[in-house]
């Protein structure tokens, strides 16, 4: 099996590469060579995926049984279209990592793969789309929907679309789980979003990688295949915070505060308290189709444990601006804590 990974040196791309090498596959990567070292055992190619000349040179090193694209999150659809068109004859299949943000109803409504999608042309530039007044839909979602259209227009039945929600695990660069782990380690009263039984569905990066590799060799359905990639069982917020406290050896204790009071203190959902969102569909993503196709998700407690071990071993995420956006300022947290909790 010969596979080309677009990206491949950090977080999801790195886990895809590691998993492919463990399977005995021949693995090539295509990166600019700026973010992180190449994984030993790969065949690294350098270039800019927005450059036609670089992509044409890359295509000359094919063919590959599959391309797995892990590096298009910040690209407009037209750049995804450029890559798919240029590599069309050099790849038998295209596995594209997208997002649940492509759905018109996210995060307000429960989602299946049949839910309506945002509409964006395959050749749109970075100016297409908008972010709604309440934070949905998002410009990001429109852009990613256009990226999906670019893939399916070119690869058709040979396309596989993966739509993860939140990906956590060792190597995380966004900073959601690392923030909670570091906050747990500091101890004391910890601001926690009630209700404690609210379930969340983050998925481990290693499980997403394994599923992507499985789909690289799996026969696709007519018209291509799309999968929601979310934890089918999830974990309640109390269990999540308990895991963070236990693995860090902390004596801290959550103080549960209602959404109404958090919002009255202008706590920003999704970032100031990472993973907290009140919208009904944020954590109502149906992944049954992916599970039937082989998605296996480890317990989220294992993800928490392994991420803490990675951080303690000196693990450093690739520098990314999203890291700084996560976590509530200590003085703001203390002010809310001083007003007391609302129970679980």
């Amino acid at each position: 099996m010969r596979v080309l990974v677009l990206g491949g040196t950090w977080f999801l791309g790195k886990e895809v590469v590691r998993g492919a090498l463990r399977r005995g596959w021949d693995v090539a990567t295509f990166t600019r060579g700026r973010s992180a070292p190449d994984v030993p055992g790969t065949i690294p190619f350098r270039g800019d995926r927005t450059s036609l000349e670089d992509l044409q040179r890359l295509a000359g090193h094919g063919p590959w049984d599959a391309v797995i694209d892990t590096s298009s999150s910040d690209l407009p659809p037209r750049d995804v279209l450029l890559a798919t068109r240029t590599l069309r004859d050099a790849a038998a299949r295209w596995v594209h990592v997208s997002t649940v943000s492509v759905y018109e109803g996210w995060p307000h409504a429960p989602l299946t793969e049949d839910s309506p999608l945002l509409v964006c042309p395959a050749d749109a530039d970075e100016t297409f789309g908008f972010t709604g007044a309440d934070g949905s839909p998002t410009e990001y979602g429109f852009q990613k929907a256009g990226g999906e259209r670019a893939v399916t227009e070119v690869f058709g039945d040979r396309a596989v679309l993966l739509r993860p929600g939140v990906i956590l695990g060792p190597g995380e660069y966004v900073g959601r789980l690392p923030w909670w782990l570091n906050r747990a380690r500091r101890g004391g009263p910890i601001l926690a979003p009630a209700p404690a039984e609210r379930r969340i569905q983050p998925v481990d990066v290693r499980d997403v990688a394994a599923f992507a590799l499985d789909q690289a060799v799996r026969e696709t359905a007519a018209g291509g295949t799309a999968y929601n990639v979310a934890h089918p069982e999830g974990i309640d917020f109390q269990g999540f915070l308990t895991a963070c406290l236990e693995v860090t050896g902390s004596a801290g204790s959550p103080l549960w505060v209602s959404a109404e009071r958090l919002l009255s203190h202008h706590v920003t959902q999704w970032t100031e308290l990472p993973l907290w969102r009140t919208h009904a569909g944020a954590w109502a993503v149906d992944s049954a189709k992916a599970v039937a196709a082989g998605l296996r998700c480890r317990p989220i407690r294992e993800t928490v444990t392994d991420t803490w071990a990675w951080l303690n071993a000196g693990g450093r995420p690739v520098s990314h601006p999203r890291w700084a956006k996560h976590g509530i300022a200590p003085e703001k947290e203390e002010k809310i804590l001083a007003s007391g909790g609302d129970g679980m």
Side-chain angles (χ1 to χ4, degrees), residues 14 25 27 37 45 51 63 89 95 115 122 158 162 165 171-172 178 185 200 210 214 219 224 235 278 298 301 303-304:
K14 187 174 185 178
W25 296 1
V27 185
F45 297 112
S51 163
D89 296 332
V95 180
S115 299
R158 299 183 291 145
L162 307 185
E172 185 197 337
R185 177 185 53 81
I200 59 176
D214 289 343
E219 289 299 321
I235 189 172
T278 59
R298 69 198 67 205
R301 177 178 288 266
T303 303
V304 172

Side-chain angles (χ1 to χ4, degrees), residues 289-309:
K289 182 179 175 182
V291 170
L295 174 65
R296 297 293 179 266
C297 292
R298 69 198 67 205
I300 294 172
R301 177 178 288 266
E302 183 178 330
T303 303
V304 172
T305 300
D306 292 349
T307 302
W308 182 240

Side-chain angles (χ1 to χ4, degrees), residues 6 34 59 72 120 165 217 235 277 308:
L6 301 184
R34 299 176 185 175
S72 66
C120 178
V217 296
I235 189 172
R277 198 157 193 170
W308 182 240

